[in-house]
Amino acid sequence: MKLVFLLIALVPLVMVAAKSTPGRMAARYDNFAVYKVDIDTDEKMEELKKIHERVTVHILNELMGPGRSYYLIVGPLFRRALDRFLNFLEIVYEVVVDDLQKLLDDSAVGNDDQMEWENYHSLDTIYDWIDKECAAHDYLECGVIGKSYEGREIKSIKLSKRPGNKAIFLEGNIHAMEWISSATVTFLLNQLINSEDPEMQRLSEEYDWIVVPMVNPDGFVYTHEVERLWRKNRRPNGYSNTTGDCYGIDMNRNFGYHWGGAGWNIDEPCDHWFGGDEPNTEVEILSLQNFVNSFEDGYIRSYLAFHAYGQYVLLPYGHSNTEFPPNYDQMKRIAAAFSDAAADVYGSVFTYGASGLLNYVVSGAAKDWAYGVKNVPFTCTVELRDKGTYGFFLPSNQITEVGTEVTAGLKALVNKAAEEGIYN
């Protein structure tokens, strides 16, 4: 959800990459540092919003207000200037990463010959695994819900072992750089298909599972081949700046439910949070919506969108911090079950509640569309590990741990939702 704000001198680096041809060397971040800054007053917040006037940085979080920590990426030439800026304003900070490229290398694609969950994988490997599983199991119905702007398939999997079940929908990687999202969604799908755990097999018998693990294939491929810090899709959005044409829409700001009402820089076409000139403009989003619309009303009873990072279970609504769904208390009880069970595995604490209240106010998200338009009675965004140490660049050696704790949380969530009558 939170992502990279590209500014000034680093923009040419990224924009050159955006126009690159296949095979061109990807952008690198050798000796770039990641700073954690704590903002405790409105005055400091306003100064941070103007930081690009003095220092060249990437800002990893949407700038929403004081009382929060924010993460900045700075190149080696600008570290002294950033230190002076922060010290002058008496902003408390620490350097949490000394060499961003080393961290990126640690989370890069490893052995890509076959699908497993010790490494991140390319789109081709993920899709090959899906195809093989679909060919091996007659209870899987697999298809293509549409194609991306650049013509890549958006694949879906429906697991159904008996008629009359209600369905749970899992969605991944709407934001390109959040690799742990599709890794976790495919981990969960693998558990439902291949796990010998009796509880997972029961859940695969008693519920239908509809999975779209890769909503943003163009952006995902771009993060592998050109720019690891990319968030949006890859459609030219009709705007330009001094560096050239601007690309992409933040697709989790493009859904029509309360679109455009709130959010950091959602109306800035060359920023990574641009929600589009109108709602529902992106072919990937329209394909996802049409796919959901293809099922009869009342069939999909839970919709879970997986993102990084922060360890949250974010409930509707995102567009307000004073308006809440009619069954908000019920949804909080279900989210609490996920949080408690996930924490029992490795101690990872997931905070739960309305996203507009806990995280920040932003409009046009998938979970709000699923709740507000499709009337799915439990929807959420699960923000996966971690709380900022690695952020979007979680090392691959944590994939299995994330999958394991989320599997535990998912079991508890579904069982609590059933107890609450969500699947009636």
Side-chain angles (χ1 to χ4, degrees):
M1 291 191 63
K2 309 166 189 169
L3 182 61
V4 180
F5 188 20
L6 304 176
L7 295 170
I8 310 225
L10 292 183
V11 172
L13 171 66
V14 174
M15 293 310 297
V16 167
K19 298 177 182 178
S20 66
T21 56
R24 181 163 184 158
M25 184 179 294
R28 291 187 59 85
Y29 294 90
D30 297 282
N31 298 312
F32 280 62
V34 180
Y35 281 51
K36 176 186 175 185
V37 300
D38 299 324
I39 302 299
D40 56 1
T41 68
D42 289 326
E43 291 76 14
K44 292 177 183 178
M45 186 75 259
E46 291 306 309
E47 291 298 326
L48 184 60
K49 288 180 178 179
K50 298 184 292 185
I51 190 173
H52 63 279
E53 298 174 3
R54 304 186 185 188
V55 184
T56 300
V57 295
H58 296 252
I59 301 178
L60 282 166
N61 314 69
E62 290 97 332
L63 300 181
M64 303 308 298
R68 300 171 182 265
S69 296
Y70 297 94
Y71 293 82
L72 316 179
I73 298 175
V74 61
L77 296 179
F78 295 94
R79 285 189 64 171
R80 287 187 179 180
L82 179 59
D83 290 344
R84 288 195 298 268
F85 174 82
L86 297 173
N87 288 327
F88 177 76
L89 293 173
E90 298 183 343
I91 293 175
V92 175
Y93 68 92
E94 63 176 312
V95 178
V96 294
V97 176
D98 277 317
D99 187 346
L100 178 58
Q101 187 61 46
K102 183 179 184 302
L103 181 58
L104 296 180
D105 291 342
D106 289 342
S107 65
V109 171
N111 179 9
D112 206 33
D113 293 337
Q114 63 181 6
M115 189 70 171
E116 39 70 45
W117 288 270
E118 299 295 335
N119 294 283
Y120 292 109
H121 294 288
S122 65
L123 181 68
D124 287 344
T125 297
I126 294 170
Y127 276 4
D128 286 347
W129 174 76
I130 290 171
D131 292 343
K132 289 176 183 177
E133 292 296 329
C134 290
H137 304 283
D138 58 7
Y139 56 81
L140 296 179
E141 178 184 338
C142 299
V144 175
I145 69 171
K147 292 192 174 181
S148 66
Y149 172 79
E150 294 180 341
R152 294 183 176 88
E153 293 181 340
I154 305 171
K155 294 195 173 187
S156 66
I157 308 96
K158 178 184 175 185
L159 185 160
S160 182
K161 293 185 176 180
R162 71 181 191 188
N165 286 344
K166 297 297 186 181
I168 299 164
F169 197 105
L170 308 181
E171 166 232 293
N173 244 129
I174 199 170
H175 288 148
M177 69 189 301
E178 297 172 10
W179 290 4
I180 190 61
S181 170
S182 56
T184 301
V185 171
T186 53
F187 184 99
L188 295 173
L189 179 60
N190 186 56
Q191 292 295 301
L192 290 163
I193 297 171
N194 295 313
S195 174
E196 296 180 358
D197 175 15
E199 180 67 0
M200 286 304 288
Q201 287 308 301
R202 182 185 69 81
L203 295 181
S204 75
E205 293 278 353
E206 295 185 0
Y207 302 93
D208 289 357
W209 297 81
I210 305 168
V211 183
V212 180
M214 184 62 62
V215 179
N216 185 4
D218 293 349
F220 185 73
V221 169
Y222 194 74
T223 62
H224 283 258
E225 296 182 353
V226 180
E227 174 51 73
R228 181 63 179 88
L229 308 184
W230 192 257
R231 172 183 176 92
K232 302 182 286 184
N233 68 356
R234 289 296 303 159
R235 179 177 70 82
N237 62 32
Y239 293 87
S240 62
N241 59 18
T242 56
T243 64
D245 293 337
C246 299
Y247 285 76
I249 304 296
D250 182 339
M251 295 193 291
N252 208 43
R253 305 290 183 268
N254 192 240
F255 288 82
Y257 188 72
H258 286 271
W259 172 86
W264 165 254
N265 276 8
I266 59 172
D267 56 354
E268 294 292 332
C270 298
D271 282 354
H272 280 261
W273 302 278
F274 180 47
D277 287 324
E278 298 176 2
N280 302 323
T281 56
E282 303 314 291
V283 63
E284 297 91 345
I285 294 306
L286 293 174
S287 296
L288 183 65
Q289 292 181 355
N290 290 338
F291 182 54
V292 173
N293 288 335
S294 71
F295 299 102
E296 64 182 14
D297 291 345
Y299 171 59
I300 299 173
R301 305 297 290 172
S302 298
Y303 187 110
L304 284 70
F306 289 86
H307 286 251
Y309 61 91
Q311 296 174 202
Y312 291 100
V313 182
L314 299 174
L315 305 171
Y317 297 116
H319 66 270
S320 172
N321 57 16
T322 57
E323 179 184 355
F324 301 95
N327 68 327
Y328 180 56
D329 288 340
Q330 179 190 58
M331 286 200 287
K332 282 201 298 182
R333 292 192 294 270
I334 297 168
F338 177 100
S339 178
D340 292 343
D344 284 343
V345 183
Y346 299 110
S348 300
V349 176
F350 285 79
T351 306
Y352 56 89
S355 59
L357 187 66
L358 288 185
N359 209 10
Y360 46 84
V361 177
V362 67
S363 301
K367 74 172 188 323
D368 289 348
W369 173 84
Y371 184 86
V373 175
K374 298 306 298 179
N375 299 313
V376 177
F378 180 84
T379 72
C380 69
T381 296
V382 180
E383 296 280 359
L384 301 162
R385 287 193 192 179
D386 54 11
K387 288 182 174 292
T389 301
Y390 298 108
F392 295 113
F393 318 116
L394 196 72
S396 57
N397 61 13
Q398 294 193 38
I399 296 172
T400 297
E401 286 192 4
V402 172
T404 302
E405 68 192 7
V406 172
T407 298
L410 182 66
K411 293 177 188 177
L413 182 152
V414 174
N415 290 334
K416 183 62 176 178
E419 178 186 315
E420 293 280 345
I422 291 294
Y423 302 109
N424 294 341

